[in-house]
Amino acid sequence: RIGIAHAVISSTGNGGYIGELIGFLKRNFTESMGEILKNKLESLALKVAATYEGYYESDLGELALDIAIDINMTPYVIEVNVNKPGIIYYEFDVAQHAIPYAIYLAENNQNINEYKEGFND
């Protein structure tokens, strides 16, 4: 979900919209500045995910980040939602990835715990 400039709270009801990061970057930044910001956002998201996974005994399925970007293109985390995307149209995207993966596991007779154990060796 992408908010409107200078809004404290942005939702689709007050001018915000649902869109992809790349489209947002292309509309608001030059190509080079957009690439810099994309890298900053990806790095921030990975750091937040790693930090939050340390608080839970099991792996997290999803994180939803509310991020503000200042005039200097510095991103700030406002809020982190764990295991719920907060976007009403997101369920289809999740299913598109989860269903093929479940089919793959079933066809290969693999258990997710066996898969994860291979990474702990």
Side-chain angles (χ1 to χ4, degrees):
R1 186 173 55 210
I2 298 171
I4 55 177
H6 309 291
V8 175
I9 299 175
S10 292
S11 69
T12 55
N14 72 353
Y17 61 95
I18 295 172
E20 296 290 326
L21 176 62
I22 298 301
F24 167 77
L25 294 174
K26 284 182 179 180
R27 284 187 298 280
N28 293 282
F29 301 95
T30 64
E31 185 175 341
S32 62
M33 297 305 277
E35 187 64 28
I36 291 168
L37 184 54
K38 178 180 170 278
N39 291 336
K40 285 183 179 182
L41 292 169
E42 287 175 350
S43 176
L44 178 62
L46 291 172
K47 287 177 185 174
V48 169
T51 299
Y52 268 73
E53 281 199 334
Y55 297 130
Y56 295 87
E57 291 182 18
S58 60
D59 293 340
L60 299 174
E62 300 172 350
L63 286 178
L65 305 176
D66 291 353
I67 298 174
I69 303 167
D70 72 10
I71 195 164
N72 298 313
M73 292 185 10
T74 302
Y76 296 91
V77 175
I78 296 170
E79 179 180 29
V80 178
N81 295 300
V82 178
N83 287 337
K84 58 181 179 175
I87 301 174
I88 59 174
Y89 303 109
Y90 190 69
E91 290 84 3
F92 181 73
D93 290 336
V94 171
Q96 279 186 304
H97 297 286
I99 292 171
Y101 182 62
I103 291 169
Y104 168 81
L105 290 176
E107 288 175 349
N108 292 284
N109 197 26
Q110 292 184 355
N111 181 306
I112 189 65
N113 291 325
E114 293 171 6
Y115 177 77
K116 287 169 52 177
E117 287 172 8
F119 284 103
N120 295 331
D121 294 337

